[in-house]
Amino acid sequence: GSPSFGSPPFGSPSFGSPFGTQMGSPPSVVASPFQNAPTFAQAVRRVSVGGTDGGSGSKYQRAMYIPASGDRQEDPSVIARRSAKLLKLLQLEGSAEKSAILLEWCDRMRRWLSAALVQPVHALLEANQAMVAAAAAKGIAAAAPASNFSASLFGPPKPAAAPAPAPSGPAVSVQQWLQHAHTDAAAQALVHQARKLERFLLVSGFSAESKPYVRQRIGHLAQGHCLAHYKWDGGASASCPQPWSPSLPTDSELLVHLFCCLFDYVMPAVISDAAPKPAAAPVGGGLFGGFGGGAFGGGMLGGGAAGAAAASAKTGPFWRSPAEHAAFTKNHFAKAGDLHRKKSDAVLLQPPERAAVAGGRRPPPRYSLLCDGVEWVIADGEHNAVEALVLFMLQRAKHQGHLGGLDLSKEIYSALLNALAFAGAAIVAPPEDEVAYRAPLAVLHPWTIELEAVNLHDVTAELKQ
């Protein structure tokens, strides 16, 4: 079906897209799918505006970072020239109609990220936190007795049935409950889910002390349907319990981090030849010790057929280790200091941190892409991070719509839930916004004949000049 978020607002002839769908060509002005969207005259690219309301849900004017006189790490004029050249080569600049397409794509990316990523992650964080707190208040379950097997000359040993132990003892703290080596499957799943969700709170480059703020900010961004509280160069307002400060991630850094986590969880598992095979281990092993040992190992669950059954029950996406959930960051994300930035044919690149502007304010990174070894420079400003994600999708659309074995023309919301939810752990209600079930490449609507004709080999050759 069509990758649009509803019926296209136009009825002109349609033609093929790089991901096998039919979409119409845009009118002279592409309408925004959001309420209170500006007119085209208000959405002129890269104009400087004064003041802010703490978010950009209702104001889509382009705000541009003007570097201080001492900031010589990047030349704004060079960035503007190179980014404009890129967009012209990609048929996304050069006329009002072409510029409107990129604005529409950014709108759709924001709405898709809200429905398919930020809102479900926020809901799971809330549900998991409540379940863990309730379990900790009930105390720690008594240790299960060793399994008794009845010997038989005419068949394999049969384990004796035993009721699940009931929680006993005084209440414990949440941290104590999470660190305990639980033996019941439901508690194991809940602990494992808490560890997986914690990854969304640990933004690279920031200390663990920033987790409470990130947790709060995800809740803010989950409100509404298009990241209405998104503030590219800041975060939570001074009136919030935990206001943003330069030592905390900006919303643009947080959004890119969540995007990376999303694709780490839904892409095929990373297979390492050096990874040890799952094996039985004594009680007290690491929580993520292959899930055949450690806290979930065969030493606790019994041996022989029972141990094999327990191990095989923990081989789905939910039970993968952090190392297995790293395909995107391993191959498609890099910081400027990375020795091997060219990890693949498409890398989301975070340049070095820039000098503080007047008043000590820390400007956010200016994200770009490294495509076939050539940098795609993306203009600075409020929409830099979102445009970087949109152009990443365009690059993959031109490569048969796949990303490391993941088909981006299919919805990935279900895969995210499979990776984050399991029986006994927290679950979430079906999303209210059907956009959650749209494919990532659906953000690339509308599509034009000019976009269809874009050849990335030619784009690379031009950018090298």
Side-chain angles (χ1 to χ4, degrees), residues 144-218:
S147 298
N148 296 318
F149 291 87
S150 57
S152 172
L153 297 176
F154 304 101
K158 299 179 180 180
S168 61
V172 297
S173 70
V174 167
Q175 194 62 27
Q176 288 174 320
W177 193 89
L178 289 173
Q179 292 176 349
H180 181 73
H182 297 278
T183 58
D184 58 299
Q188 291 174 356
L190 192 58
V191 170
H192 186 53
Q193 183 184 53
R195 300 291 183 239
K196 298 190 80 169
L197 291 171
E198 186 179 29
R199 183 172 184 174
F200 290 99
L201 308 181
L202 293 169
V203 182
S204 176
F206 296 89
S207 68
E209 283 71 27
S210 66
K211 288 194 298 181
Y213 169 81
V214 173
R215 175 70 185 84
Q216 168 195 262
R217 194 57 181 163
I218 291 176

Side-chain angles (χ1 to χ4, degrees), residues 122-136 174 190 193-194 197 215 426:
H122 169 63
L124 282 171
L125 284 166
E126 290 281 297
N128 179 272
Q129 182 181 44
M131 290 182 68
V132 170
V174 167
L190 192 58
Q193 183 184 53
L197 291 171
R215 175 70 185 84

Side-chain angles (χ1 to χ4, degrees), residues 50-71:
T52 179
D53 63 350
S56 56
S58 61
K59 293 186 178 181
Y60 282 84
Q61 295 98 332
R62 299 287 176 156
M64 182 173 180
Y65 160 62
I66 305 300
S69 57
D71 184 2

Side-chain angles (χ1 to χ4, degrees), residues 158-366:
K158 299 179 180 180
S168 61
V172 297
S173 70
V174 167
Q175 194 62 27
Q176 288 174 320
W177 193 89
L178 289 173
Q179 292 176 349
H180 181 73
H182 297 278
T183 58
D184 58 299
Q188 291 174 356
L190 192 58
V191 170
H192 186 53
Q193 183 184 53
R195 300 291 183 239
K196 298 190 80 169
L197 291 171
E198 186 179 29
R199 183 172 184 174
F200 290 99
L201 308 181
L202 293 169
V203 182
S204 176
F206 296 89
S207 68
E209 283 71 27
S210 66
K211 288 194 298 181
Y213 169 81
V214 173
R215 175 70 185 84
Q216 168 195 262
R217 194 57 181 163
I218 291 176
H220 294 165
L221 296 177
Q223 299 173 16
H225 296 284
C226 59
L227 305 176
H229 293 281
Y230 178 78
K231 189 177 181 182
W232 70 288
D233 58 350
S237 65
S239 62
C240 294
Q242 299 184 68
W244 181 83
S245 70
S247 64
L248 297 170
T250 62
D251 283 355
S252 60
E253 290 168 310
L254 176 55
L255 190 65
V256 170
H257 167 70
L258 295 177
F259 181 90
C260 292
C261 289
L262 165 65
F263 281 96
D264 274 339
Y265 279 132
V266 301
M267 289 179 66
V270 174
I271 305 300
S272 173
D273 294 335
K277 295 182 179 180
V283 177
L287 180 65
F288 299 105
F291 306 108
F296 305 122
M300 265 190 310
L301 299 170
S312 64
K314 293 184 171 63
T315 56
F318 178 79
W319 295 106
R320 288 174 184 166
S321 68
E324 292 175 298
H325 280 309
F328 187 87
T329 52
K330 180 180 179 180
N331 299 309
H332 300 285
F333 180 77
K335 292 189 175 182
D338 291 355
L339 295 178
H340 303 287
R341 297 193 305 171
K342 189 179 178 182
K343 302 177 176 182
S344 65
D345 62 343
V347 179
L348 183 59
L349 186 63
Q350 180 175 313
E353 185 172 325
R354 300 178 293 194
V357 297
R361 192 174 185 84
R362 178 179 63 85
R366 178 188 58 79

